[in-house]
Amino acid sequence: REIPWPPPPPPELWDFWTEGRSLMTNAFDLNGEPLRIKGVSWFGLESAVCAVGGATTGAPIERSARFIADEGFNAVRIPLAADEVLRSEAGTTPRCGPPQTDFERHNPAMIGASYLQIVEMLVVALANEGVLVLLDVHVMVAGVWPDDGKAHKEPLAQAWAVLAARFCGHWNGMRTHLLCLLRRQRPPQPFLRQ
């Protein structure tokens, strides 16, 4: 049955929620149609290696982002590790990561980059292809899954504060937009690939 859609809300009122197995939104695309989210997960930054899948052995991340968009996906979930977000923000040497020489062939810009700089490279590459990003603080400690099952509220809140401060300026951050609004910052205007 056809359900009439309400007029699109302004971007600062965009919302995302779940219904069953679907992620829903009240956002609209450039054609005024309800935005249908079709996403994939780009694993690796939450693992013991702390390297996004394919960055050391596959293609440049820009080519991977283009492939994701060309295949009809408009959203990517990037699982992260809270401890590495906080270590990166503090300027501390990462506890994990592949040998830097592994990036030479496909992603030389990642050589010497911090954890958060690599996350930003992914967010920007996906934005350039019109793809939304859902940052997911997936584990408390990189490579530890399952964890101890305890609620680690303070480091989790600190990690999200770091992510919100760093990524509120990116139009394509789905989760960070909510945090920007909570911090009374206006998210940037959207651009969606047609």
Side-chain angles (χ1 to χ4, degrees):
R1 121 179 179 240
E2 195 66 29
I3 299 172
W5 287 89
E12 64 268 17
L13 297 179
W14 283 10
D15 195 11
F16 298 91
W17 67 93
T18 59
E19 281 185 18
R21 296 180 352 183
S22 297
L23 178 61
M24 309 295 285
T25 179
N26 63 349
F28 286 70
D29 66 18
L30 292 176
N31 299 319
E33 297 293 320
L35 178 63
R36 304 279 188 232
I37 297 172
K38 182 179 178 186
V40 295
S41 186
W42 201 343
F43 74 95
L45 287 170
E46 81 290 2
S47 71
V49 178
C50 290
V52 66
T56 59
T57 59
I61 59 168
E62 296 81 6
R63 188 177 332 148
S64 296
R66 189 172 320 111
F67 174 81
I68 289 168
D70 287 347
E71 293 302 310
F73 296 100
N74 62 1
V76 171
R77 173 182 159 260
I78 302 175
L80 304 172
D83 67 324
E84 291 302 324
V85 168
L86 297 175
R87 291 176 71 81
S88 184
E89 177 67 10
T92 307
T93 303
R95 195 181 53 72
C96 60
Q100 293 295 299
T101 55
D102 286 358
F103 291 121
E104 284 177 358
R105 182 168 177 209
H106 300 294
N107 291 289
M110 289 185 178
I111 296 172
S114 73
Y115 188 85
L116 287 172
Q117 288 169 331
I118 290 173
V119 173
E120 189 152 18
M121 289 177 199
L122 292 173
V123 170
V124 168
L126 291 163
N128 289 340
E129 297 301 327
V131 177
L132 297 167
V133 172
L134 175 65
L135 297 177
D136 165 22
V137 180
H138 193 67
V139 296
M140 294 307 300
V141 178
V144 178
W145 181 258
D147 61 15
D148 60 15
K150 297 178 183 173
H152 300 276
K153 292 179 184 175
E154 188 61 31
L156 184 60
Q158 290 172 348
W160 275 116
V162 167
L163 293 170
R166 185 160 187 133
F167 294 103
C168 277
H170 295 274
W171 70 264
N172 61 329
M174 291 165 45
R175 168 75 179 189
T176 50
H177 278 194
L178 172 62
L179 296 169
C180 296
L181 293 172
L182 292 173
R183 295 176 66 202
R184 307 272 189 246
Q185 290 179 317
R186 181 183 171 90
Q189 293 298 311
F191 158 82
L192 295 177
R193 184 178 174 173
Q194 297 211 30

